[in-house]
Amino acid sequence: MPPMWLQVLRLYSAERQKKHCENALAVAKFLKEQDKVAWVHYADLEGDEYHDLAKRYMPKGTCGVLAFGIKGGRDASIAFMDKLKLVSIVTHVADAK
């Protein structure tokens, strides 16, 4: 049996991951309703092309990674990103800040 601290860490990580998925789904739903958003890709979102596969293979949720596009092309997207305050623009998922 692993040491107690490792068991607690695993439990904490599992709860954190669950909340991470819940938050990503809430963000995806919000974005899907916005007039200025062209598309949203998130496998836990109903209507996503991978939703059925996600529910089949990952019934407890996928992850916190989602993608979306801004209407108006590159200039509109850059203007949007320049206004971000709480979201980091990272080069890969494992980028630690």
Side-chain angles (χ1 to χ4, degrees), residues 36-41 67-71 77:
K36 294 182 180 181
V37 174
W39 51 266
V40 178
H41 292 299
F68 64 98
I70 301 291
K71 290 180 183 174
S77 296

Side-chain angles (χ1 to χ4, degrees), residues 34-51:
Q34 302 307 304
D35 292 335
K36 294 182 180 181
V37 174
W39 51 266
V40 178
H41 292 299
Y42 183 62
D44 274 339
L45 186 63
E46 284 194 40
D48 187 89
E49 63 182 306
Y50 297 107
H51 182 72

